[in-house]
Amino acid sequence: MNIESNNHKLRLKAAKRVEEIKGFYTHLVATFIIPPFLVFINLQTAPQFHWFWIAIAAWFVGLIIHWFYVFGSAQFLDEWEAKKLNEVLEDHEDKSEFIQEQYYLKTKKKVNEIKGFYVHFGVSILAVFIIVLVNLQFVPDFYFFWYAVAGICIALFFHWFGVFGFDKLGFGKNWEEKKIQEFINKMS
């Protein structure tokens, strides 16, 4: 049971690491789409004031912090997390129950992510409808709703990508399993 428990802990740790890396790469890909879109919006709507520099600076600060969290501080965080997990496991009487609970929580998280995407999709459709109506009612000479629709579509794409899209690009379960096994081999 102890070997099985250790293998399970290594697997959970490796799976968490793979999720962190995927999150960073999603953020990195978004860097090539969202900041240029912000520049475009700024130059089309208020070319006299270049606010996009503030947005780009904030975006890159966020990207650097995300990189540091995923790659720069990974060893420190891994050691701390392993220590805390061992403390929890020592306090837990039935370790198999704890493992089942972890699987349940992981499955529940995935279901909530999927549900969150569909809620986002529904709210986005409603928001686009309202924005188009407001635009056509109050400013019929300038179709600003296209900017909002483009931004909403980009946000929906990245939300979809985070929930479903990795499979489509070869970073799905097979890639995850391969990376998890690599991390397990390094940690063993």
Side-chain angles (χ1 to χ4, degrees):
M1 180 70 176
N2 195 20
I3 293 173
E4 183 181 314
S5 178
N6 284 339
N7 286 341
H8 180 70
K9 284 194 286 185
L10 284 174
R11 183 163 184 73
L12 284 175
K13 186 176 179 181
K16 182 179 183 287
R17 182 81 178 121
V18 168
E19 286 298 317
E20 290 170 352
I21 292 170
K22 282 173 42 178
F24 174 76
Y25 287 136
T26 301
H27 192 171
L28 185 63
V29 168
T31 300
F32 294 101
I33 297 170
I34 293 176
F37 180 71
L38 293 175
V39 170
F40 174 76
I41 294 284
N42 180 197
L43 295 178
Q44 289 297 315
T45 58
Q48 66 279 8
F49 177 63
H50 291 181
W51 57 260
F52 67 85
W53 289 112
I54 297 166
I56 289 173
W59 185 275
F60 280 99
V61 166
L63 187 65
I64 290 167
I65 290 169
H66 198 169
W67 175 88
F68 183 75
Y69 173 77
V70 172
F71 299 108
S73 64
Q75 186 173 355
F76 168 75
L77 291 174
D78 287 346
E79 290 172 6
W80 178 83
E81 186 177 309
K83 180 181 171 188
K84 288 296 178 190
L85 186 59
N86 283 333
E87 287 176 11
V88 169
L89 281 174
E90 287 173 3
D91 292 343
H92 211 281
E93 292 176 17
D94 185 3
K95 293 178 184 12
S96 64
E97 182 183 309
F98 178 78
I99 291 169
Q100 286 176 339
E101 186 178 325
Q102 292 302 309
Y103 279 128
Y104 170 77
L105 292 174
K106 186 175 180 181
T107 303
K108 185 177 179 181
K109 179 182 174 207
K110 185 64 176 177
V111 168
N112 283 335
E113 287 174 357
I114 293 169
K115 185 173 88 175
F117 170 76
Y118 287 124
V119 168
H120 184 186
F121 184 76
V123 169
S124 295
I125 289 173
L126 180 63
V128 165
F129 180 72
I130 291 170
I131 291 168
V132 169
L133 284 177
V134 168
N135 181 192
L136 295 177
Q137 178 68 33
F138 296 105
V139 191
D141 297 339
F142 177 62
Y143 297 143
F144 66 80
F145 70 85
W146 288 114
Y147 300 118
V149 168
I152 289 170
C153 287
I154 289 171
L156 269 174
F157 170 75
F158 281 107
H159 196 165
W160 170 86
F161 188 74
V163 175
F164 304 109
F166 283 101
D167 291 332
K168 307 293 184 207
L169 295 177
F171 290 107
K173 289 295 174 195
N174 292 337
W175 177 81
E176 283 184 28
E177 289 301 321
K178 182 179 161 190
K179 290 304 264 182
I180 287 169
Q181 195 57 48
E182 281 180 28
F183 285 121
I184 288 173
N185 293 341
K186 284 181 185 178
M187 290 185 267
S188 301

